[in-house]
Amino acid sequence: MNRHIAGMCHIAFWAFLFFSPLTYWRGTGITLPHYLMICMQPAMTLFVFYLNYIYLAPKFFVPGKHRYDLLINLVLVFFLGITLHHWMNITNEIFIPGFKGAYNPLNTISFVLRDSINFAIFAAGATALALARRWVTADQKWKESEAARAKAELMNLRSQISPHFLLNTLNNIYALISFDAPKAKETIQELSKMLRHILYDYQQPLIPLRDEISFLENYVKLMRIRMSQDVEVSFKTPSEQYNGSIAPMILISLVENAFKHGISPREHSYIHITIKTNGPEIICDISNSYHPKTSSDKSGHGIGLLQVQSRLDLLYPNRYTWLRGISDDGKSYRSCLCINTKEDTNEETDEE
């Protein structure tokens, strides 16, 4: 609740309690001194409430000290109940002609119990409000710490993606230098374009989808330099202009994975990449021939997809579906990621 609204509610409630005696003394010719003495009852109630709300509940209503809070309140409410009873008797004797104080023991006990119970109700209400405030404060601190943790985790994941991407790309350039130096030079030029994207665009939380597609196109062009013409590679992009945004480099690991497992120097190989949009949804559908790497192949260690999963959980919780897996005949692999940039959807993931 907004702090100002809460303050206004407190003021309105106590104003009602302090002015309420005027309603049942209306028409009796009550004087200002008489009214002020009657106000001792709401004043005592206010004292009990804020003593518990500000001091007793925060200090004593904690594990190990509950009994002190209960003992202090018992003494307090009975003492104030007795004091208020005698105060009202004195007030009535002063301002009401012919009034005789109700000093009958049974009446005294009943009035003291009534007032003590009223004070106890306000003490309990104040304690409940103090506990609610404590819970809200703790919940806010927890959410802030979780947000800070998630932000730090996301920054850590983002810092890992660039080295991972560079490692795979440099491995390709290294392999290319040994048999085709001109192509290696061209590859380095393409890599410089991609590094520009990483250095500038990647620092933003979101970038236009067209920029992400441009980055992927440069990557595919870079990868095709070292491939034979027999490898079938297609890259389809949205036919219509899409103005939405996406987290930078969220799709690169999927494309990397396709090139890592989809190319074989001896067997027919293909990679089909399709990026399309459907309203607020961005769909990246990749299918490729499946040629799993041997244990001696160190071109990446499979951390890319794990990073994608972690980033999706942080950036698009419950707003994406990711279907992926190997075909029944073991010859192809498909990864279809659908991100809903606006509406909540159910998250479904099939592990590779």
Side-chain angles (χ1 to χ4, degrees), residues 108-150:
T108 298
I109 292 174
S110 64
F111 284 124
V112 168
L113 282 177
R114 180 200 64 184
D115 293 333
S116 297
I117 290 173
N118 288 336
F119 290 139
I121 291 173
F122 276 86
T127 301
L129 284 178
L131 293 178
R133 184 179 64 173
R134 181 193 303 173
W135 179 84
V136 169
T137 302
D139 185 61
Q140 288 176 341
K141 290 182 178 179
W142 179 83
K143 289 179 179 179
E144 289 173 0
S145 66
E146 281 295 297
R149 182 197 63 78

Side-chain angles (χ1 to χ4, degrees), residues 198-214:
I198 294 174
L199 289 173
Y200 298 105
D201 296 340
Y202 186 52
Q203 304 308 315
Q204 305 301 320
L206 294 173
I207 62 172
L209 177 62
R210 59 180 178 274
D211 291 348
E212 181 74 0
I213 291 176
S214 177

Side-chain angles (χ1 to χ4, degrees), residues 162-209:
S162 295
H164 178 262
F165 159 76
L166 288 175
L167 175 64
N168 286 343
T169 306
L170 290 174
N171 280 337
N172 292 333
I173 295 176
Y174 176 78
L176 195 60
I177 288 174
S178 60
F179 63 88
D180 196 335
K183 276 193 175 183
K185 182 178 180 180
E186 184 181 348
T187 301
I188 293 174
Q189 291 176 340
E190 293 296 331
L191 177 60
S192 67
K193 297 178 183 178
M194 301 179 71
L195 288 177
R196 189 177 298 111
H197 174 85
I198 294 174
L199 289 173
Y200 298 105
D201 296 340
Y202 186 52
Q203 304 308 315
Q204 305 301 320
L206 294 173
I207 62 172
L209 177 62

